[in-house]
Amino acid sequence: MQASRRGYVAGMGNRANYVLVADGDWTLHYSHWGAVGLEFDLLPGPAAATRYIRAQEVVPPDRSGWLNDLWCEGGALLDLDRHVGLVFWLRSDPAERAAALAVLGRTWPGRRVDWAYGGLADLAEYVGVDPETVRCRHEPIAPQASETGQVTCLVTVTDPAGTRGYGLVGTGIEDIARLGPGVRTQLPDDALLDACPTTPMRGCHLDYTTRRAGAWTTEACVEPIERACADWAGWRWEWWEDDYERHVARVGDAVSIPPLDLTWALYTLPARLDRHRANDPVANARMVLAQLAQYGDSRPAHRCSSTSRWA
């Protein structure tokens, strides 16, 4: 069974960890299905979110209870004492993510809700758990051009030849950073573009004339960017969080990046919320298993322990 933070998890589940902090203590919770649409379970406000988290499975607050950043596809921390929230989820349209965060700012009055750019590691560190507990070592994913035209990662390069853009799929900004300054020679020619069809989920700009680089994401990083770029001696890296407009400013007219359609995302949010409420992941899984059974033995090549949440 394989998994990828940049693609999909080849297994039935959309795993999430939740942390609830209250009265000076904290509990860790787990949901096998909670990652997809996680934002919709939080939108009604902190009281509803608290009830939802408490309804999830309570797991040990140690390595056996935490997922890792390979398997975890979403998470939330709610600190009832300090009125703080930390959230992240994966594979979300950037405009839809921005719309959800904007609504959270209204439905969580008097509370700060921050995006966990470090993913599950940020949640662990918040409650005093070593973030390395949930981190996995990942081999860099080689830059790959999209075969469908969908661009998830935009890498732009400025050097004496000018400024150019590469539309990639699957690759993370951490992957680009870990490949070192020689990464520009590994960017595929068939990924070259001068106009991004949609707003990507993440991106970075590499300026070889000034030795400065910047990176941003609307997801969560599987490795701290400062660690990923450790081999860029003499370079200065900037972390732009989700501010893709700083990327736009760096490339000027050389590569166009469309703005977020926040109006449309807000307009369609109620319908997406209704679909989430009507969704039954267990019924969906049973339907998939029934379809697989039509093609013969659908048992996996190896068995996992029934007590394992990674199965």
Side-chain angles (χ1 to χ4, degrees):
M1 184 177 295
Q2 300 297 319
S4 173
R5 278 287 300 272
R6 302 303 175 197
Y8 64 93
V9 174
M12 292 188 178
N14 299 287
R15 301 161 180 82
N17 267 146
Y18 306 88
V19 180
L20 187 64
V21 181
D23 300 324
D25 199 4
W26 61 277
T27 53
L28 182 63
H29 302 254
Y30 167 79
S31 171
H32 195 73
W33 309 103
V36 173
L38 179 146
E39 63 271 34
F40 297 118
D41 297 316
L42 306 178
L43 286 179
T50 300
R51 290 194 298 271
Y52 173 78
I53 292 174
R54 283 177 169 156
Q56 307 311 308
E57 179 187 357
V58 178
V59 292
D62 55 27
R63 190 180 294 271
S64 67
W66 290 95
L67 292 163
N68 58 50
D69 63 7
L70 179 65
W71 287 97
C72 187
E73 297 184 271
L77 178 147
L78 177 54
D79 187 338
L80 301 178
D81 297 339
R82 299 172 61 189
H83 306 296
V84 171
L86 275 176
V87 299
F88 76 97
W89 54 85
L90 303 181
R91 301 196 305 277
S92 176
D93 176 87
E96 293 179 357
R97 167 189 175 273
L101 291 176
V103 174
L104 280 172
R106 295 291 189 93
T107 60
W108 291 56
R111 290 168 171 81
R112 193 180 83 241
V113 180
D114 295 329
W115 186 259
Y117 288 99
L120 195 58
D122 283 1
L123 274 58
E125 188 172 22
Y126 186 96
V127 291
V129 174
D130 183 354
E132 295 303 314
T133 300
V134 302
R135 287 205 181 277
C136 291
R137 283 292 180 179
H138 303 265
E139 290 300 319
I141 298 175
Q144 179 180 347
S146 172
E147 297 180 355
T148 64
Q150 180 186 14
V151 174
T152 58
C153 180
L154 176 66
V155 178
T156 55
V157 174
T158 295
D159 58 19
T163 298
R164 56 196 179 277
Y166 298 83
L168 308 176
V169 64
T171 305
I173 54 175
E174 319 92 296
D175 300 314
I176 297 297
R178 287 185 63 195
L179 291 171
V183 65
R184 65 174 167 173
T185 65
Q186 302 180 49
L187 298 170
D189 289 340
D190 58 348
L192 279 166
L193 50 72
D194 55 18
C196 211
T198 59
T199 308
M201 296 179 181
R202 49 196 175 269
C204 63
H205 179 64
L206 311 174
D207 191 331
Y208 285 82
T209 63
T210 63
R211 290 197 161 200
R212 296 183 64 178
W216 61 275
T217 185
T218 60
E219 294 192 303
C221 296
V222 296
E223 182 176 14
I225 193 68
E226 61 273 13
R227 186 168 72 189
C229 63
D231 293 334
W232 292 67
W235 280 70
R236 176 186 172 188
W237 274 79
E238 297 178 357
W239 174 235
W240 297 336
E241 296 188 342
D242 62 354
D243 189 358
Y244 77 99
E245 292 183 351
R246 296 182 68 176
H247 196 168
V248 174
R250 294 299 192 279
V251 299
D253 296 331
V255 182
S256 65
I257 308 173
L260 295 177
D261 191 350
L262 188 57
T263 299
W264 178 252
L266 287 169
Y267 177 77
T268 57
L269 190 147
R272 289 184 280 114
L273 174 59
D274 287 342
R275 287 197 299 271
H276 174 72
R277 287 174 170 172
N279 181 53
D280 184 346
V282 176
N284 293 342
R286 287 174 175 167
M287 179 183 67
V288 172
L289 285 173
Q291 292 174 342
L292 290 174
Q294 296 178 8
Y295 296 94
D297 187 358
S298 61
R299 290 175 297 177
H302 68 278
R303 294 186 178 275
C304 298
S305 167
S306 60
T307 60
S308 172
R309 279 184 291 278
W310 330 127

